[in-house]
Amino acid sequence: MKYVSWNVNGIRACMDKGFLEAFEKLDADAFCLQETKCQPDQVKLELPGYHQYWYSAEKKGYSGTAIFTKQEPLSVQYGIGMDMHDHEGRVICLEFPQWFLVTVYTPNSQDGLKRLDYRMQWEEAFLQYLKQLEEKHPVIVCGDMNVAHQEIDLKNPSSNHMNAGFTDQERACMTRLLQAGFVDTFRNQHPDAKDIYSWWSYRFKARERNAGWRIDYFLVSQALSGQVQDSAIHTDIYGSDHCPVSITIALQ
């Protein structure tokens, strides 16, 4: 199975910047999107052979997720089942016979860390949600998790320390996820890979200078880690301020 995740920073805008070409090039069994920024009636994508699942934020033009999958799931869950966290379209979970596929758009702590306290509440609830899923099946979780875990995961760690996405608190939450039994597939396969990022600011020609951050992930339950055959970051694909990430995994 090949799974792809991409924060498209507005699917309607991305469709004007080569989304369908990238979709066809990547040719995934499931394609997970974050930050779709649309309501169900605002976009129509013709994707023959794929089942489409969309979860929009109540606030128009904000957040939102989607999954397009060739294999029809046994069930679909929108949100994590907690009212305080389920108004922004951040999580979709598909259940398959032997695993779950979850896409997530983790809340940004924002400038001045205005939303850091909420982010900490989210992190605790989301970890609990994933562990509950694991009681039934192993989990594959992907998406924009809005944190660079280690200094190797961003270009300028010193000047960004305690900025949103690189606070000690956010990094500790990712550490807890990994300690709870989830594997960062890219770092597991490429432990020393440097200067490979998945997000670049639109300011200061950051992408041209490769002044980026690795904040988009595929994590898998420990039980699935040995089945991951490839984990990649597709820095050659444009259309958003993020690029797609992917895994190839042997699933039955």
Side-chain angles (χ1 to χ4, degrees):
M1 291 280 190
K2 181 179 181 181
Y3 287 164
V4 168
S5 174
W6 194 7
N7 178 322
V8 292
N9 194 10
I11 183 61
R12 290 169 292 173
C14 194
M15 286 173 66
D16 294 330
K17 299 176 184 177
F19 173 80
L20 286 174
E21 291 85 347
F23 182 87
E24 292 173 2
K25 176 182 178 180
L26 290 165
D27 189 26
D29 293 284
F31 209 104
C32 303
L33 305 185
Q34 304 86 44
E35 210 171 355
T36 52
K37 294 184 177 179
C38 69
Q39 301 302 120
D41 60 347
Q42 290 181 308
V43 65
K44 187 174 183 180
L45 270 174
E46 298 292 343
L47 302 173
Y50 287 86
H51 305 274
Q52 299 190 29
Y53 304 95
W54 295 79
Y55 187 32
S56 300
E58 292 177 7
K59 179 181 176 181
K60 291 186 176 181
Y62 179 72
S63 188
T65 48
I67 302 181
F68 313 137
T69 173
K70 291 180 179 178
Q71 182 177 354
E72 187 172 4
L74 301 177
S75 67
V76 183
Q77 180 178 343
Y78 300 95
I80 63 174
M82 296 182 66
D83 184 69
M84 71 176 292
H85 298 306
D86 286 348
H87 297 274
E88 297 181 349
R90 293 189 177 274
V91 175
I92 303 174
C93 174
L94 304 189
E95 180 184 4
F96 294 102
Q98 301 297 329
W99 69 94
F100 289 106
L101 174 62
V102 176
T103 194
V104 60
Y105 178 40
T106 300
N108 191 302
S109 295
Q110 299 185 352
D111 291 341
L113 305 181
K114 290 178 293 191
R115 223 179 180 202
L116 182 60
D117 288 345
Y118 171 71
R119 167 74 175 263
M120 293 300 100
Q121 293 175 305
W122 163 274
E123 293 279 4
E124 182 178 350
F126 187 61
L127 175 54
Q128 180 181 351
Y129 171 74
L130 293 179
K131 295 307 288 185
Q132 287 174 343
L133 291 178
E134 269 197 327
E135 292 174 4
K136 185 173 184 181
H137 300 308
V139 176
I140 300 167
V141 54
C142 66
D144 176 0
M145 303 187 82
N146 261 318
V147 61
H149 185 218
Q150 303 291 351
E151 290 191 354
I152 195 174
D153 294 317
L154 73 166
K155 186 70 170 182
N156 298 304
S158 297
S159 60
N160 281 295
H161 180 230
M162 293 310 291
N163 285 343
F166 200 59
T167 64
D168 296 340
Q169 298 94 318
E170 291 163 315
R171 295 170 67 191
C173 288
M174 176 58 79
T175 297
R176 281 197 292 274
L177 257 177
L178 303 182
Q179 290 175 340
F182 292 93
V183 176
D184 174 354
T185 60
F186 182 82
R187 190 55 67 202
N188 190 51
Q189 289 211 329
H190 311 282
D192 301 316
K194 298 176 64 176
D195 302 321
I196 302 176
Y197 308 118
S198 64
W199 173 78
W200 304 260
S201 170
Y202 278 136
R203 296 180 292 177
F204 312 122
K205 297 184 178 180
R207 191 156 187 176
E208 292 177 30
R209 297 185 294 110
N210 196 30
W213 300 48
R214 187 177 74 95
I215 60 175
D216 300 87
Y217 295 83
F218 267 95
L219 307 182
V220 299
S221 296
Q222 187 71 48
L224 294 176
S225 63
Q227 295 162 238
V228 177
Q229 299 166 332
D230 183 53
S231 183
I233 299 177
H234 300 272
T235 57
D236 60 323
I237 293 180
Y238 289 71
S240 169
D241 52 350
H242 296 248
C243 72
V245 299
S246 70
I247 59 167
T248 303
I249 182 168
L251 294 169
Q252 297 179 349

